[in-house]
Amino acid sequence: MLTGELRSQVDKVWDSFWSGGIANPLEVLEQITYLLFLRRLDELQTLEENKSARLGKPVERKIFPDGSDTRGCSYESMRWSRLKNTAPQEMFNVVSDHVFPFMRELGGDGSTYSKQMEGARFTIPTPALLAKVVDLLDQIPMQDRDTKGDLYEYMLGKIASAGQNGQFRTPRHIINLMVALTAPTPKDTICDPASGTCGFSVDAPQSYALFPALFYQSPKPLANWVSPPSAAPPAQA
């Protein structure tokens, strides 16, 4: 079972993605999984290095090899323990341009791993969001196997509840863009048949700053406002 503290940490990660512009819970889970996988790869190599130091023998299994990739980035700089201490922009560049290609090719051609990872995409949009998520994920203790299972069960539960409750909300910046593109006027009919929080309907009047014309100069100010049957009509001004 996840403790309340761990649940709170996971919720902070989830909220960071939401505020950073990624609202699709499946995409959030995907990106968290890739980052936790990168962290686990580094932990496995650290275990091998510690074993090598104790026994006085060479490292038997190197996940991050010596040298650099074809673009000149050292494999050592791709490790979680190194990335988490770098500047956000540098971290973003390394993860997007080097880490993901490295992870896709890690298992070799034709392997089951490479087949599963061939579609791996890095979709975190900004260095600031990546740095924040890395910092939050680094604080989650993952040593216990039960923690890993409970963590994913909790995140899958968040996806399930989002689908059941219709909480696949549209990010605010997407709402603003779509309203700006459609440029509604007081003479237009507004219909949002899939409204949840009514974000589009709320933003529409704000887009043209004609509140006096909309609410006071017309005898039927909201006559052209069409709501879905399940939604309550907006209050008259």
Side-chain angles (χ1 to χ4, degrees):
M1 291 291 292
L2 286 180
T3 64
E5 181 180 356
L6 281 176
R7 288 174 183 269
S8 176
Q9 288 175 310
V10 174
D11 289 341
K12 287 180 181 178
V13 176
W14 208 272
D15 291 342
S16 296
F17 275 102
W18 167 253
S19 61
I22 300 181
N24 184 344
L26 292 174
E27 186 176 357
V28 172
L29 180 58
E30 178 187 62
Q31 296 303 301
I32 290 175
T33 300
Y34 291 143
L35 292 175
L36 287 178
F37 179 63
L38 176 64
R39 174 181 167 180
R40 181 58 179 164
L41 291 177
D42 184 40
E43 291 172 349
L44 290 174
Q45 176 142 333
T46 300
L47 289 174
E48 289 291 328
E49 291 169 346
N50 292 340
K51 177 182 175 182
S52 172
R54 288 195 307 269
L55 300 178
K57 297 181 179 180
V59 177
E60 295 179 357
R61 179 190 178 196
K62 277 193 174 183
I63 299 173
F64 296 88
D66 296 329
S68 304
D69 64 7
T70 55
R71 295 186 178 184
C73 180
S74 68
Y75 291 107
E76 185 71 15
S77 65
M78 301 182 200
R79 299 178 61 171
W80 179 272
S81 55
R82 310 296 188 270
L83 277 172
K84 68 179 185 179
N85 296 316
T86 59
Q89 186 61 57
E90 180 183 356
M91 180 193 302
F92 186 85
N93 293 339
V94 171
V95 172
S96 61
D97 298 338
H98 304 282
V99 169
F100 268 68
F102 167 72
M103 290 198 300
R104 284 194 292 266
E105 301 167 359
L106 188 59
D109 295 335
S111 67
T112 302
Y113 170 85
S114 62
K115 183 66 176 177
Q116 296 297 323
M117 290 293 290
E118 64 183 1
R121 304 171 304 125
F122 177 67
T123 59
I124 295 177
T126 64
L129 176 58
L130 175 63
K132 185 174 183 179
V133 170
V134 167
D135 183 57
L136 290 171
L137 289 178
D138 192 59
Q139 299 174 28
I140 299 178
M142 298 292 291
Q143 293 80 9
D144 190 344
R145 288 185 178 181
D146 289 339
T147 299
K148 296 182 180 69
D150 291 341
L151 174 65
Y152 276 94
E153 184 176 349
Y154 179 60
M155 290 194 293
L156 289 172
K158 291 173 76 71
I159 292 177
S161 63
Q164 293 166 3
N165 297 330
Q167 294 174 352
F168 291 99
R169 297 170 291 180
T170 307
R172 181 61 52 185
H173 65 287
I174 299 297
I175 292 176
N176 293 338
L177 173 63
M178 294 181 70
V179 170
L181 289 173
T182 55
T185 70
K187 296 182 179 180
D188 293 326
T189 297
I190 300 175
C191 179
D192 186 2
S195 64
T197 58
C198 296
F200 287 100
S201 300
V202 170
D203 268 27
Q206 298 176 0
S207 67
Y208 44 78
L210 292 176
F211 291 104
L214 178 63
F215 291 109
Y216 299 114
Q217 295 181 10
S218 171
K220 294 183 179 180
L222 298 178
N224 289 332
W225 195 299
V226 179
S227 299
S230 60
Q236 297 284 340

